[in-house]
Structure formats: C-alpha cells, structure tokens
Amino acid sequence: MALIKCPSCDARVSSVASQCPECGFDLAAGMADEETLRTLRNRRYRDRMYVLKMLSFAAMAIAMIGAIPMLFHYINAIEAGIPAQLMDHWGVYLVGIGFVFYLIVRVRMLSMKSAHRRGQ
C-alpha cells in the first residue's frame, strides 16, 4: 500500500483506494484518457484563478477601506486651513497592507498562468 497522486487533483491517495477522497475521481477505472485529464486540469486552473481574482478584489477593498477615510481627513484638514498629515492616519496601514496583498496575489496569478501554459 503506497501513496499515489490523484490524476485529477494531485492529492495524495492510497494505492488501494477506489476513489479520491478529495475530488471523487474513480481510481479503480485506471488512468483517464488525455482529454479527461486536460478537462480536469482546466477546471482546476479555472477554479484557482477564480479564488485568486476574489482575493485580489478583497485586497483592493482593504486598500479602499483605508483610502476613503484618509480622503475625508484630507478634505476636512484643507477646509479647516490646517496642514494635512496623511502619514499619521491609520488608513495608511490599510492601504499598504491592501497594496502588498494585491501584489502578492497578482504575482501568484501570473505564475499560475505561466505554469498552466507550460503544462498544455
């Protein structure tokens, strides 16, 4: 009894298992044809890209949650005639975190896209 990779989801599965516990792929039927494996790879790529796109929207939302109060603080300071110190505002941290998170997600998306193209 050894651990093998599921051809569908690359999860580690026992060699005596009849189905993959992660995705339900029928291991007892043997290896799938190339078209089925390509379809499964494309579906897994599409699902992962969807999650990464939602994470990039979340990163943009985090940055905007910090930027909007900073804008109001800036406008109020200008109207009051006092110099605006935006670097002292708490929103700077959220903008920075959101921006860094967005960059990380986008780099991950680009690497996943290039790996998917190389795999086909």
Side-chain angles (χ1 to χ4, degrees):
M1 181 169 95
L3 291 177
I4 59 172
K5 279 190 171 184
C6 172
S8 170
C9 67
D10 291 334
R12 294 175 61 166
V13 182
S14 171
S15 60
V16 295
S18 62
Q19 279 190 339
C20 174
E22 296 291 325
C23 66
F25 185 76
D26 188 15
L27 297 169
M31 292 302 291
D33 62 344
E34 186 62 34
E35 184 65 30
T36 303
L37 291 176
R38 185 179 309 117
T39 302
L40 292 171
R41 276 194 304 266
N42 287 340
R43 186 177 301 151
R44 187 172 59 230
Y45 168 74
R46 182 196 65 208
D47 292 344
R48 287 180 180 171
M49 287 300 283
Y50 176 78
V51 168
L52 288 174
K53 285 178 184 177
M54 293 301 112
L55 286 174
S56 70
F57 289 139
M60 286 188 280
I62 290 170
M64 292 308 297
I65 288 170
I68 291 173
M70 283 176 52
L71 178 65
F72 287 130
H73 176 73
Y74 179 75
I75 291 171
N76 289 337
I78 295 298
E79 287 176 350
I82 58 174
Q85 296 293 327
L86 293 181
M87 295 307 288
D88 295 337
H89 195 273
W90 58 267
V92 171
Y93 301 112
L94 285 179
V95 170
I97 290 169
F99 180 70
V100 169
F101 184 46
Y102 179 79
L103 286 178
I104 291 170
V105 169
R106 296 306 278 191
V107 166
R108 179 70 181 126
M109 286 174 76
L110 288 173
S111 67
M112 186 180 294
K113 186 181 283 189
S114 66
H116 181 71
R117 286 185 181 160
R118 281 192 310 261
Q120 285 188 349

